[in-house]
Amino acid sequence: MNENEQEKPNDGAARLTFRYDLLRSTMTGVLETGFSTFGLLVAIRAFESSETWKSLLSGAVSAGLLIVPWVMGVAARSRMNATTFGACLMVLCAGSITGAVVAEGAVSFTFFLVAAQLCVAQLPSLMIHVYSLNYAPEERGRRLSWNIIVSALIGMTISYGFGVYLDRNPENHAWIFAGMALVALASAATLLPIPSLPLELPKKRQVSFFSGFSIAWEDKLFGRMLCGWMVMGFGVLMTLPLRVEYLAGEGGLEMSNEEVTLVAVVVFSIARILSARLWGGLFDHLHFIGFRLLLNVFLLFAALVYFNAESFIGVCIGATLAGIGTGGSSIAWSLWVTKLAPKGRETEYMGAHVAFTGVRGVLAPFLGYWVLSQAGFSGVAWISASLILASSFMFAAVLRHPRFRLDNSS
C-alpha cells in the first residue's frame, strides 16, 4: 500500500466497500444479538450454567481481542487479502456455532460459543485496514454510522422474534443457533468482494500481545488514552452480562424472555439507531476528547438508572441511555486510532487497542459478578459510574494535546 492510495481512496472502492460492508452489518446484527443476549439466556434457563460459564460466555469476544496481534501476524504471513482472511474466520465461526447446536451440556455449549466469538473478535482489526484504505478520513464516521444503524435494526427485529420463539418453545433453542451458523456463512460471502490488500508485518518488532505495551510506551499519548479506555471499559463491560441477569435472573426483575428482549435489545437498539447518524457526524467534526466525554455522560447515567430501576419503564429509560451511549461508543471504539496512528500503522495501533480491550473484557464480567455478590445490583451501578467518571478525568487531561486536530487528516 503506497502513500497516495492512503491519502486518496478510490471512489469506486469506497462505494463497493460501503455496499458490501452494509450488507455484512445485517449479519453482524444477528450474530451480536445471538451471542450477547440469547447465548446468555439459554445458558441461564436451559443449562442453568454457573457464574463461571456465564462469565466465560460474556467475556469471549474480549478474550478474542487478546489474541488479535498474533492473529494479525498470521494474516500478514498468509499474504491473503484482509477481507479474504476475514471470510475464512467467519467460516470457522459458522462451524463453531454448529457445535453449539448439538451441545448437550453447559460445558460443550460454552466451549463452542466461545470459539465462535473468538473468530468474530478478529474482524474489527481487519476492517480498520479496509476503512483506512478505502474511505477518506472525513467520511469514515458517517459511513460507519450506517453500519451501526443497520446492525442494530436487524438485530432488534430478529431478536424480538427469537425472544417470542423461546417463550413458546423453550426446549428448541437449537434452531436459533442453526440460523446463526447460516448467517455467519453469509457474512463470509459478503466480505469476499470488498477491496483490500494483504496486511504488512511491522518492520521493527515481533507481533504479539506485548506489542501493544511497546507501542503504548513508545507513543506516550496513545498510552495515556489506553489507560483512560481501560478504566472506562471496566466500568461499562462489567455491567453487560448483568443487564440480562438483572432482567431475567433471581434477585432481579424476573421478566419473561419477550420482556427481556424488548428491554435489552429492542429499546436499546432503537436508541442506538436513532443516535448513530448524529454520533457519526459528530465524530467526523468534533474534537475527539469532547466526543468521548459526551459519550461518558450517557454511559454513566445509563448504569445508575438501569440497575436502580424497579419497573419496566425504569429499565427502558436506562436501556435508552445505554443505547444512545453505545451508538457513539461503537464509532469511537472502531475509529479513534485513525486520529492518532501514523499513516500505514493503523492496523498495528488497532491491534494494541483491541488487545487491551481484551484484557478488560475478559476480567470485567468476573468483576461484575463479584461486585454483584458483594453489593447487589445497586452497588454495581455506583461502582460502574465511578469508574466511568474517573476515566472522564483521564481523558480530559489530554484535551489540549496538539495531536487531536479537527481536520482528521491523520
Side-chain angles (χ1 to χ4, degrees):
M1 176 170 54
N2 62 48
E3 189 172 73
N4 288 335
E5 284 176 316
Q6 279 191 315
E7 292 178 351
K8 297 181 179 180
N10 181 275
D11 287 341
R15 286 193 296 271
L16 192 62
T17 299
F18 182 67
R19 184 183 310 136
Y20 281 101
D21 199 35
L22 201 62
L23 185 59
R24 184 183 70 88
S25 296
T26 65
M27 321 298 173
T28 301
V30 176
L31 293 175
E32 284 183 348
T33 300
F35 289 135
S36 64
T37 301
F38 292 97
L40 202 55
L41 266 178
V42 170
I44 292 170
R45 290 183 168 166
F47 294 111
E48 298 181 351
S49 299
S50 68
E51 291 184 358
T52 299
W53 300 124
K54 289 184 289 187
S55 295
L56 286 172
L57 280 173
S58 300
V61 169
S62 298
L65 300 181
L66 287 173
I67 61 172
V68 160
W70 177 77
V71 175
M72 293 305 104
V74 173
R77 285 188 289 272
S78 74
R79 304 314 299 155
M80 291 183 187
N81 287 350
T83 47
T84 302
F85 190 84
C88 293
L89 289 173
M90 292 311 297
V91 172
L92 290 175
C93 174
S96 298
I97 298 173
T98 301
V101 172
V102 298
E104 296 182 352
V107 176
S108 57
F109 178 77
T110 302
F111 172 81
F112 285 116
L113 280 194
V114 166
Q117 292 178 81
L118 292 179
C119 296
V120 171
Q122 312 309 311
L123 289 183
S125 290
L126 293 169
M127 295 309 295
I128 197 71
H129 159 83
V130 175
Y131 300 145
S132 297
L133 179 69
N134 296 339
Y135 292 159
E138 66 274 8
E139 65 178 355
R140 290 170 188 160
R142 175 173 54 84
R143 288 191 181 274
L144 196 63
S145 68
W146 280 112
N147 289 17
I148 293 169
I149 290 170
V150 170
S151 175
L153 185 61
I154 295 298
M156 174 185 67
T157 304
I158 295 297
S159 65
Y160 181 73
F162 283 175
V164 173
Y165 174 82
L166 271 184
D167 274 336
R168 296 176 180 175
N169 305 277
E171 303 301 322
N172 294 330
H173 60 267
W175 288 105
I176 290 177
F177 297 102
M180 288 173 59
L182 293 176
V183 167
L185 287 176
S187 179
T190 63
L191 281 164
L192 291 173
I194 298 176
S196 66
L197 295 172
L199 301 183
E200 295 293 335
L201 280 170
K203 298 178 180 178
K204 296 183 179 180
R205 59 174 59 89
Q206 180 76 20
V207 176
S208 69
F209 167 73
F210 297 101
S211 301
F213 290 98
S214 177
I215 298 170
W217 182 262
E218 167 193 311
D219 188 333
K220 302 300 184 185
L221 175 60
F222 184 62
R224 294 175 69 182
M225 289 293 295
L226 286 179
C227 288
W229 277 94
M230 183 67 78
V231 174
M232 183 274 300
F234 267 109
V236 174
L237 293 174
M238 66 179 283
T239 70
L240 295 188
L242 301 184
R243 291 178 188 173
V244 175
E245 191 79 40
Y246 184 56
L247 299 177
E250 294 182 6
L253 302 181
E254 298 186 18
M255 294 180 172
S256 68
N257 291 324
E258 182 177 358
E259 289 174 322
V260 170
T261 304
L262 279 171
V263 176
V265 181
V266 176
V267 172
F268 175 86
S269 297
I270 288 174
R272 190 181 178 193
I273 291 166
L274 294 178
S275 65
R277 285 287 291 160
L278 173 62
W279 288 125
L282 289 175
F283 179 87
D284 288 333
H285 299 99
L286 193 66
H287 190 292
F288 176 71
I289 299 300
F291 182 83
R292 179 66 264 177
L293 292 175
L294 187 57
L295 292 173
N296 279 15
V297 172
F298 283 96
L299 294 173
L300 187 154
F301 283 104
L304 292 176
V305 172
Y306 192 98
F307 290 107
N308 286 296
E310 298 181 353
S311 66
F312 183 81
I313 297 298
V315 287
C316 282
I317 294 172
T320 299
L321 292 171
I324 293 172
T326 303
S329 294
S330 299
I331 295 171
W333 190 91
S334 299
L335 293 176
W336 80 274
V337 298
T338 64
K339 301 277 189 178
L340 289 180
K343 290 188 182 298
R345 294 185 67 187
E346 293 91 353
T347 296
E348 190 180 350
Y349 270 60
M350 187 66 175
H353 167 47
V354 297
F356 278 88
T357 302
V359 172
R360 58 184 176 264
V362 168
L363 298 177
F366 293 94
L367 173 63
Y369 275 108
W370 180 81
V371 172
L372 176 63
S373 69
Q374 301 297 312
F377 286 108
S378 182
V380 168
W382 285 104
I383 290 175
S384 171
S386 297
L387 290 171
I388 295 170
L389 181 61
S391 74
S392 298
F393 287 110
M394 298 172 74
F395 288 127
V398 297
L399 178 65
R400 298 187 183 278
H401 198 285
R403 283 172 66 187
F404 286 112
R405 299 188 300 270
L406 296 181
D407 60 6
N408 296 322
S409 62
S410 62

